[in-house]
Amino acid sequence: MKAKIVITPKKAVLDPQGKTVQNALEHMGYTGVTGVHVGKYLEIDLAPGTDAAAARQALNEAAHRFLSNPVIEDYRLEIVD
Amino acid sequence: MKAKIVITPKKAVLDPQGKTVQNALEHMGYTGVTGVHVGKYLEIDLAPGTDAAAARQALNEAAHRFLSNPVIEDYRLEIVD
C-alpha cells in the first residue's frame, strides 16, 4: 500500500519556480503554456496490512503539521493499494 | 487542459529528504512507513484547444532535457482534460 501526497503553492501565492519553468518552455519554442505550478511530491510506502483509515489520519496530520506550510500551500493526500 | 509531471529519484539513488520525512513520521509515533520518496510535481496549464500529442512531445522533451536529471531521476507525464 502506498500514500501519495502532492503539495502545491496556493493559487494566490507567487510561484517564481513555476514562472521560470514557463519561461524555459517558451524559450524552447513551446508557447501553448498559460501557467506552471511547481510543488512537491511524496510517495510513502506503507507496511502491508496497514489500516488505510489510520494511515490517512496520521498522514493528514503530518501533511498539515510539517510536510506542507498551510499558509501558502495546499496538499492532496491519496491512498492507493 | 493540464499536464502533470511527477519527478522522483530513481529507486537506487539515495534520498536523504525521504529518509528525513520517514524519521519525522516515526517521531510522530506513526510506524507503519517502510519508505518515503520525495520528488517534484509540476502542473502545467495548457491553452484551450492545445493539441495533446504535440504537448506531450514538447513536455517529454522538456522533462528529459531540463526539468529532470535523467541520470538520477525518473519522470511520469500525464495529460488530462
Side-chain angles (χ1 to χ4, degrees):
Chain A
M1 202 157 69
K2 272 184 188 179
K4 296 176 181 183
I5 302 177
V6 170
I7 301 168
T8 46
K10 283 185 199 282
K11 297 289 173 200
V13 172
L14 225 59
D15 183 356
Q17 223 185 332
K19 192 68 200 159
T20 305
V21 171
Q22 189 177 348
N23 289 343
L25 287 170
E26 280 165 17
H27 268 282
M28 229 182 79
Y30 188 65
T31 51
V33 174
T34 56
V36 179
H37 310 278
V38 178
K40 268 176 291 186
Y41 174 80
L42 287 96
E43 204 171 88
I44 298 162
D45 299 328
L46 299 169
T50 301
D51 179 53
R56 179 177 295 277
Q57 201 193 337
L59 293 175
N60 252 323
E61 194 191 331
H64 193 81
R65 276 182 47 196
F66 61 85
L67 298 177
S68 78
N69 177 349
V71 178
I72 55 165
E73 291 171 326
D74 288 321
Y75 71 88
R76 280 200 309 277
L77 168 64
E78 195 187 332
I79 307 233
V80 291
D81 275 325
Chain B
M1 203 156 68
K2 272 184 188 180
K4 296 176 181 183
I5 302 177
V6 170
I7 301 168
T8 45
K10 284 185 198 283
K11 297 289 174 201
V13 172
L14 223 60
D15 183 355
Q17 223 185 332
K19 192 68 200 158
T20 304
V21 171
Q22 187 177 351
N23 288 344
L25 287 169
E26 280 166 16
H27 267 282
M28 229 183 79
Y30 187 64
T31 51
V33 174
T34 56
V36 179
H37 311 278
V38 177
K40 269 178 290 187
Y41 174 80
L42 286 96
E43 204 170 271
I44 298 163
D45 299 328
L46 299 169
T50 302
D51 179 53
R56 180 177 295 277
Q57 201 192 337
L59 293 175
N60 252 323
E61 193 190 333
H64 193 81
R65 275 182 48 197
F66 60 86
L67 298 177
S68 78
N69 177 347
V71 177
I72 55 166
E73 291 171 326
D74 288 323
Y75 70 88
R76 280 200 312 277
L77 169 64
E78 195 188 332
I79 306 234
V80 291
D81 274 322

